[in-house]
Amino acid sequence: MSPKATWFLVAGLAVTLGSLPTVTGHAAIKTNFTKIHYSEDAFSHNQFTNIAYHAKSTKKNAYIWNDTHTKKLYNLKTYPTYTWFKLASGTYKGNSHWIEVTNFVDSKRGWIYSPQLVKGFSTKGYQPTKRSYKQPTYAGGIYHVKSTKKNAYLWNWTHTKKLANLKNYTNQNYSRRHSVLITHQGTSHWYSYVSVTIKKKTINGYVRSSALAAGKTTNHQGQNILQPDDFVATKDYLQYLNDSKYQKLARSLIKLFPNTPVDLGLSQIAAYNFATNDTWEEDPPEEIATTGYKDIVPFTKVATYLMANKTKTNAQKLAGVEKLLDQAGYTKAKRAKLTNYKLGIYILNNVKGGKIDEAGNSLKGNWYGLIIGKTD
């Protein structure tokens, strides 16, 4: 990722279902349970095997109570596939057989009479038996969906609801927050916790880890605003330039150099080293190395002109660029002879969503870079 890879991310992501639970302090809790001994460290450190319990009966009532034992919070027979994890033991009215439990994602906590539970994971449904945040094996990194033909379902944590089929979203990159080992009928598979954007909404869930491949996607269909380093090679960058509805000006500029092929590496150099840019809330990105290229000719006056005239029509901009190229000695005839050069170009042309302010508002952004150069 680039130094500004958070360009499209809103700061301060809310804690979502499935994220690492936060164990709060106990001093302020009002409770009618006494002689409480906390054992939450095992849950916080994902030592689930040591503290796993499930309902002795899925047909009889077995209530989980609040801290004051004044309200029934949950009935275990309503959650027949749940495994519950012990957080503490305590005494209520002289009876010491009470334990505090929570579910896997720590969304349902409370106290239950322990004889209503038996130790171990539930044998029903799909059970998350391990969770790991270890990088890079189980968390972090950039991934994409391997196949557009094989189903890659995104599930909720209980594995009871399909949230999306990621084979339909191979044009997105995925970052794993953690992974869980799901066991079902004696078979176990690792699932990665990821987010997918569908109709501008973020959906979080678990996908079979084997459905993902390391690295960025090369499919950019439907993606209209991408950063210079969101691409893998020149081939997928060209796909974006040809398909994006916001790359009309770029396509027109490319035609001014009919025999100078676009190159991704040179385009990244154009974007980071020689461009005009108003998309950054803070400092602009750092320059990148030009290793592998020589005889670079930056058209800085073109970049400056485009930024100064960002609200003009594409036809007006194109005419202005042609005039500046002619003045620089790069006439139509000369440009046609640049067969031993490659073209570096990155254009973000007054596009709403190209800039996101600190409050998360979508604003118009502009980024203009144009150079030519040779490969070493």
Side-chain angles (χ1 to χ4, degrees), residues 227-229 237 264-277 280 285-288 344-347 367-371:
Q227 284 193 293
D229 55 355
Y237 183 47
L264 173 61
L266 206 60
S267 296
Q268 292 169 333
I269 293 170
Y272 290 122
N273 296 13
F274 301 105
T276 53
N277 187 335
W280 308 115
E286 296 179 1
E287 292 188 1
I288 61 175
I345 182 170
Y346 183 79
I347 301 293
W367 196 345
Y368 302 104
L370 184 69
I371 65 176

Side-chain angles (χ1 to χ4, degrees), residues 2 26 36 51 73-74 84 88 132 149 208 230 249 260 270 275:
S2 73
H26 308 289
I36 298 174
I51 54 173
L73 301 177
Y74 314 106
W84 300 90
S132 178
K149 297 179 180 180
R208 182 82 69 87
D230 282 334
L249 178 61
T260 310

